[in-house]
Amino acid sequence: MGKPTIGGTRYKEVKNAMLAALSTQEWKGGEVIPSEKRLAERFGVSIGTLRKAIDELVAENILVRHQGLGTFVAQHQRDRHFFRFFRVVRQDGDKTYPTVSLVSFKKGKATREIAAMLGIEPNARIFMFVNRLALHGATVMIDNIAVPEARFPGLTEAALRERPSTLYNFYQDAFHINVVGTEERLRVAVASEVESDLLDVPRNTPLLEIRRVAYSYHQMPVEVRISHVNTAHYEYVGPSASHEEPL
Amino acid sequence: MGKPTIGGTRYKEVKNAMLAALSTQEWKGGEVIPSEKRLAERFGVSIGTLRKAIDELVAENILVRHQGLGTFVAQHQRDRHFFRFFRVVRQDGDKTYPTVSLVSFKKGKATREIAAMLGIEPNARIFMFVNRLALHGATVMIDNIAVPEARFPGLTEAALRERPSTLYNFYQDAFHINVVGTEERLRVAVASEVESDLLDVPRNTPLLEIRRVAYSYHQMPVEVRISHVNTAHYEYVGPSASHEEPL
DNA sequence: AAGTGGTCTAGACCACTAC
DNA sequence: TAGTGGTCTAGACCACTTA
């Protein structure tokens, strides 16, 4: 496979070549990729080496293997890895899907802070929207979401409202943007006026604030969100610290 | 290697056999384990199969490989994986080691809640102690820690105070207890009287509450702690959601 | 130089899925 | 039955560490 990418070892080269094929949408979300045998021939390596590259992409939840069927580009589905990205559960441990409703939608320009997090220029155009999330019938969480217009051309409020599945699934189907990882920072904040209205709590009620950056392949940031959670009856599930990379 | 453990596949059997050798302290924290060649002979598998078993144990941070040196039982060291377990950083991202001081130490009996989390009988004897953690000179976090007396025989306040390194390193050296993973739940709480004194904040200041269970091999719970963090200038680093198991 | 883990090969055989 | 991924083998050669 020549040397189109760096990485030192053959399987890293293969992995990077596969990431490239994913980035260019040669392989799209949910589709099968060629068989291991074919890929080994294409990249000029043995099956074992090819498998080691796939092993890592599977460990990173970028590909999914199905014995007897083939290897697929991972797709965001409500009933599959949803709780990897939605980490709020009831204090007794009960996990349920949130009911999401769009509160507002507008275009604007990125503040310096948002721009830095998204890796775009300050004042670059972004979309901003707010989601209200309810669990067991009560609003528990407010998401303030920002995405760069350049990566989401033509995004509209109607499209957001009418999306059939999860937000990240929508990003994938409508914009070929695959969210494969996030980084989150948590602190305590207090409810603003808007938030206290939406969450039905008094002004200045302490809330859990989550600042998230979502990444696509090659750590490319694609979305920033600041969430506020009422943890009176719910809590946030942190990392499990086994099979976890050092900070 | 007969069939001392289940698991379906050869390499899972090997992995379980290795976990057993770790549990029985045949291989102790920080020590080298036998070479891949020797282990392959011992378990009656090929090098490749043996390596697959080790691969998983390395991915779980239970073993560490050093090319040219050998494979070692992972050991808790202040300068190595410390920040996998200590996830509080300054809001500008600055990571520093906390200065820890023991506030109190006592024996007692496990409440039903603590007992459930530790997997021991209610009213079983436990040690309880409180640590104060300072960053950049100011107290930022209070840890309330509980461990079962049965697993920490002879633990004393003096030993805790005089430990030369991190708490988990102390568990490993003094009690052969290897913490290999944790589970954490986060919510907002308010400062009790003791906490407001120690953290130097007004009573009822909202704090970040972290409930952690620490596990050794085979998901055996060994420690429970409830921490409270003043997030005025610090924050909690959440999971990275790539290479992360589904919940 | 000897011993270790790191990478890579070129297969074999099995289990699962679809037709 | 044919094609897929899953496991396993028995080596080879390389890079690194210690002596």
Side-chain angles (χ1 to χ4, degrees):
Chain A
M1 55 167 291
K3 290 186 167 47
T5 50
I6 339 156
T9 65
R10 306 271 262 140
Y11 81 87
K12 286 284 184 191
E13 278 181 24
V14 172
K15 182 183 173 186
N16 284 331
M18 293 182 74
L19 277 170
L22 289 162
S23 297
T24 60
Q25 290 148 49
E26 176 184 344
W27 304 329
K28 300 199 187 68
E31 292 182 2
V32 215
I33 69 173
S35 76
E36 297 184 341
K37 189 164 174 298
R38 244 178 278 275
L39 288 173
E41 286 164 5
R42 164 166 165 181
F43 295 128
V45 295
S46 74
I47 295 271
T49 302
L50 188 275
R51 279 184 65 79
K52 186 153 183 179
I54 295 186
D55 283 346
E56 291 201 355
L57 293 169
V58 168
E60 293 167 22
N61 296 297
I62 290 173
L63 297 178
V64 178
R65 286 200 263 231
H66 287 295
Q67 190 172 358
L69 281 175
T71 303
F72 298 76
V73 182
Q75 192 166 28
H76 288 276
Q77 294 172 65
R78 209 182 100 118
D79 49 324
R80 281 188 57 83
H81 289 244
F82 184 80
F83 290 105
R84 272 203 311 130
F85 296 99
F86 181 71
R87 311 189 70 95
V88 175
V89 304
R90 202 162 63 185
Q91 286 181 4
D92 65 8
D94 181 83
K95 292 183 184 60
T96 51
Y97 296 111
T99 303
V100 184
S101 51
L102 187 66
V103 174
S104 70
F105 176 89
K106 64 180 180 190
K107 298 188 190 188
K109 294 183 179 175
T111 62
R112 224 182 39 208
E113 191 190 11
I114 298 282
M117 288 195 280
L118 281 175
I120 59 179
E121 310 233 316
N123 291 320
R125 302 186 67 79
I126 58 173
F127 295 108
M128 290 174 287
F129 55 100
V130 177
N131 274 335
R132 175 216 314 247
L133 286 76
L135 291 165
H136 305 98
T139 302
V140 173
M141 182 171 176
I142 306 295
D143 286 351
N144 273 274
I145 302 177
V147 297
E149 189 180 273
R151 299 206 176 282
F152 292 79
L155 175 63
T156 63
E157 176 167 356
L160 262 183
R161 266 190 211 288
E162 289 154 18
R163 76 192 139 85
S165 183
T166 70
L167 191 53
Y168 287 170
N169 183 33
F170 171 67
Y171 291 174
Q172 202 167 34
D173 287 352
F175 302 99
H176 299 299
I177 286 181
N178 300 273
V179 173
V180 297
T182 59
E183 281 182 15
E184 298 189 328
R185 302 294 182 101
L186 285 76
R187 62 176 83 157
V188 175
V190 295
S192 69
E193 196 152 0
V194 183
E195 288 155 1
S196 58
D197 282 355
L198 290 169
L199 289 166
D200 195 26
V201 295
R203 187 104 155 74
N204 291 327
T205 298
L207 302 173
L208 182 62
E209 176 174 292
I210 308 168
R211 292 163 173 262
R212 170 194 289 188
V213 182
Y215 296 92
S216 182
Y217 307 129
H218 301 298
Q219 270 73 257
M220 182 184 70
V222 293
E223 178 210 68
V224 163
R225 61 171 76 179
I226 299 180
S227 306
H228 290 94
V229 186
N230 176 359
T231 61
H233 304 294
Y234 294 84
E235 57 191 5
Y236 175 92
V237 180
S240 5
S242 18
H243 32 74
E244 180 95 1
E245 81 292 358
L247 289 178
Chain B
M1 56 168 289
K3 291 190 165 46
T5 50
I6 338 156
T9 65
R10 306 271 263 141
Y11 81 85
K12 286 283 184 192
E13 277 181 23
V14 172
K15 182 183 173 187
N16 283 330
M18 293 182 73
L19 277 170
L22 290 162
S23 297
T24 61
Q25 290 148 48
E26 177 184 345
W27 304 329
K28 300 197 187 69
E31 292 181 2
V32 215
I33 69 172
S35 75
E36 297 183 341
K37 189 164 175 297
R38 244 180 278 275
L39 287 173
E41 285 164 6
R42 164 167 165 181
F43 295 127
V45 296
S46 74
I47 295 272
T49 303
L50 189 273
R51 279 184 64 78
K52 185 152 184 181
I54 295 187
D55 282 347
E56 290 201 355
L57 293 169
V58 168
E60 293 166 23
N61 296 296
I62 290 172
L63 297 179
V64 178
R65 286 200 264 230
H66 288 295
Q67 191 173 357
L69 280 175
T71 303
F72 298 76
V73 182
Q75 192 166 30
H76 289 275
Q77 294 172 66
R78 209 182 102 115
D79 48 324
R80 281 189 55 85
H81 288 244
F82 185 81
F83 290 105
R84 273 204 309 130
F85 295 98
F86 181 72
R87 312 190 69 95
V88 175
V89 304
R90 201 162 63 186
Q91 286 180 4
D92 65 10
D94 181 83
K95 291 182 184 63
T96 52
Y97 297 110
T99 303
V100 184
S101 50
L102 187 66
V103 174
S104 69
F105 176 87
K106 63 180 181 192
K107 296 188 190 187
K109 292 183 179 174
T111 62
R112 224 182 41 207
E113 190 190 12
I114 298 281
M117 289 195 279
L118 282 175
I120 58 179
E121 310 233 316
N123 291 320
R125 301 186 68 80
I126 59 173
F127 296 107
M128 290 175 286
F129 55 100
V130 177
N131 274 335
R132 174 216 315 247
L133 285 77
L135 292 165
H136 305 98
T139 302
V140 172
M141 181 170 176
I142 306 296
D143 287 350
N144 273 275
I145 302 177
V147 296
E149 189 180 275
R151 300 206 175 283
F152 292 80
L155 176 63
T156 63
E157 176 168 356
L160 263 184
R161 267 190 211 289
E162 289 154 19
R163 76 191 139 85
S165 182
T166 70
L167 192 54
Y168 288 169
N169 182 35
F170 171 67
Y171 290 176
Q172 201 167 36
D173 287 352
F175 302 100
H176 299 298
I177 286 182
N178 301 272
V179 173
V180 297
T182 59
E183 281 182 15
E184 297 189 328
R185 301 295 181 99
L186 286 75
R187 62 176 82 159
V188 176
V190 294
S192 69
E193 197 153 357
V194 182
E195 287 155 2
S196 58
D197 282 355
L198 290 170
L199 290 166
D200 195 25
V201 296
R203 187 105 154 73
N204 290 328
T205 298
L207 302 173
L208 183 61
E209 175 174 294
I210 307 168
R211 293 164 173 260
R212 169 194 289 188
V213 183
Y215 297 92
S216 183
Y217 307 130
H218 301 298
Q219 271 75 258
M220 183 185 68
V222 293
E223 179 210 67
V224 163
R225 61 171 76 178
I226 300 179
S227 307
H228 290 94
V229 186
N230 176 1
T231 61
H233 304 294
Y234 294 85
E235 57 191 5
Y236 176 93
V237 181
S240 2
S242 17
H243 33 74
E244 180 95 1
E245 81 292 357
L247 290 179

